[in-house]
Structure formats: C-alpha cells, structure tokens
Amino acid sequence: GNSVTQMEGPVTLSEEAFLTINCTYTATGYPSLFWYVQYPGEGLQLLLKATKADDKGSNKGFEATYRKETTSFHLEKGSVQVSDSAVYFCALSGARTGNQFYFGTGTSLTVIP
Amino acid sequence: DAGVIQSPRHEVTEMGQEVTLRCKPISGHDYLFWYRQTMMRGLELLIYFNNNVPIDDSGMPEDRFSAKMPNASFSTLKIQPSEPRDSAVYFCASSPLRGRERSPLHFGNGTRLTVT
C-alpha cells in the first residue's frame, strides 16, 4: 500500500542551526512527493515538491531530494529562523494512489532565538 | 485568487446538535477533499470528490457524517447528531489534475469544531 513515515517530533533547534526532517515512503508506481508546512491556526501550505526520481524541490531555503533507491524525501535547511517554527508534513500522491494524498503524521519544529 | 474558503472558522455546539461546515474550492479545481485533524490521529482523509461526484468516502467515520457537492463551487460536510469526540479541525482542500503530474493540494484555513 501507500504510506509516509516521518521522524517523530517535536524538534527544537537554536536559530541558525541545520535542520533535517526525515521522510520515507512506500508507494506503488512513481508518486509525486511533497512537503507541506502548517503555521499555528492555519491550513497546510505547500512548501516544495518533486515529481520524479532525483528531482530536488526547493523553496524559502528548504530543500528535499526525491531518492527512489532509498524511498526517501528528507527535508533540509541550512540555517533555520524563528519564523520557521511550524509543523511540517511529508506527503505523496500519484495516479496509482487513486489521486489521493497520503500524509505523514507531521513533525513539530520550534526554533528558539 | 482567494484560495479555498471555509466557513465558519470556529464552531461551538452542544452534543446532539447538527453542524454544517462549508467550503468553496478554488475555481477550476476538479478535486475537493475533506480532512479532519486531531492531536491523537493526525490528518485523516474523510471523503473526496472529482467533478462534484464522491469518489471515496471510506474515511467518513460514521453515518452521522455526510458530505455533498451540489456544484463545482460549493461543498458541505454535515454532522448530525454531533458528539464531543467529533471535536477537531476540519480542512477542505482542492486540487486540479494537470496531465500526469500530481498537482498539489490547496488547503483552506479550517473550521475548528468544539462539541460540548
């Protein structure tokens, strides 16, 4: 079946620290992969995406590379800011998922000054 | 583009009352999804529509829940009767389908439901 596994949170980092949030997936076929971010009191917003193997999605200093051989899509940022404090969700979707989206459980990030 | 619009933002009701949540998707989007988010269970897909037709409602928890999409610009999620365990944030999301590439979901800001 289709599923997404994210590292457990919460994660607390100091400002300017390096961030990695691990995400691995199980899927039939070749899904598209996404990272969403949810700020307090808001809905999920697309952060970045990758649609095929070896693609790198990037946005706002965040990056993730679609690794088919390890079925992973880890989120990284070189220097986090207080404003990056949010919950991050990894997700997959594709034609063989019945056009559904499968989300991970979310990883809460708090960045302290 | 105004994005996905949900109403109300907050709803507080007593157990046994009927609750109706509303969603206006982004114009031109073929797919509409209803999700529920709780601390215990995370983000759960309840139901989704394609071109106003329900495709998969296997996530709807009970017969107390029903969803409709009478036209391309409006959908409702109804709970009747409501129970305290229905307390959650309910999100509506829409998405176009562009060729073979899975387009991302666009979420509304959610309705926070509290059933006392």
Side-chain angles (χ1 to χ4, degrees):
Chain A
N2 301 294
S3 66
V4 175
T5 302
Q6 281 183 241
M7 64 183 283
E8 292 287 328
V11 174
T12 302
L13 295 174
S14 297
E15 204 165 23
E16 299 184 2
F18 184 85
L19 169 71
T20 300
I21 300 178
N22 290 336
C23 171
T24 57
Y25 68 90
T26 302
T28 53
Y30 303 97
S32 294
L33 302 174
F34 306 85
W35 277 101
Y36 283 82
V37 59
Q38 184 180 29
Y39 299 103
E42 298 183 11
L44 282 70
Q45 304 172 25
L46 179 67
L47 180 59
L48 54 84
K49 70 175 184 178
T51 57
K52 60 183 186 296
D54 300 325
D55 267 3
K56 177 185 283 188
S58 61
N59 185 26
K60 300 180 181 179
F62 291 89
E63 293 183 339
T65 301
Y66 190 140
R67 301 286 188 200
K68 184 173 181 295
E69 63 276 14
T70 55
T71 62
S72 65
F73 193 55
H74 305 320
L75 182 68
E76 297 182 336
K77 186 174 185 181
S79 176
V80 294
Q81 306 301 311
V82 172
S83 57
D84 294 327
S85 298
V87 180
Y88 292 82
F89 293 87
C90 186
L92 70 83
S93 183
R96 295 195 184 187
T97 68
N99 294 317
Q100 291 191 37
F101 283 74
Y102 293 82
F103 285 87
T105 53
T107 302
S108 175
L109 169 67
T110 300
V111 180
I112 54 178
Chain B
D1 194 333
V4 176
I5 299 173
Q6 291 187 247
S7 63
R9 284 301 309 273
H10 302 276
E11 177 79 40
V12 180
T13 191
E14 292 183 347
M15 182 173 63
Q17 296 298 305
E18 177 180 294
V19 174
T20 300
L21 311 181
R22 297 172 176 80
C23 174
K24 177 178 169 54
I26 294 173
S27 177
H29 282 194
D30 301 297
Y31 286 85
L32 184 140
F33 300 77
W34 282 101
Y35 286 88
R36 177 171 68 177
Q37 186 178 40
T38 61
M39 289 293 291
M40 292 296 294
R41 301 173 69 92
L43 199 62
E44 301 174 276
L45 176 64
L46 300 178
I47 185 173
Y48 78 96
F49 296 82
N50 176 215
N51 291 325
N52 314 336
V53 176
I55 302 301
D56 185 349
D57 65 354
S58 60
M60 297 285 263
E62 302 171 29
D63 291 345
R64 299 185 296 107
F65 286 69
S66 62
K68 294 182 180 178
M69 193 165 185
N71 57 61
S73 59
F74 184 65
S75 177
T76 59
L77 178 67
K78 185 175 293 187
I79 308 173
Q80 166 63 21
S82 58
E83 297 183 3
R85 60 193 167 121
D86 301 330
S87 298
V89 181
Y90 291 80
F91 287 104
C92 177
S94 69
S95 174
L97 177 60
R98 297 185 182 128
R100 297 176 59 188
E101 180 178 305
R102 181 67 254 178
S103 298
L105 288 176
H106 299 256
F107 282 81
N109 282 330
T111 294
R112 180 174 294 277
L113 174 65
T114 303
V115 183
T116 60

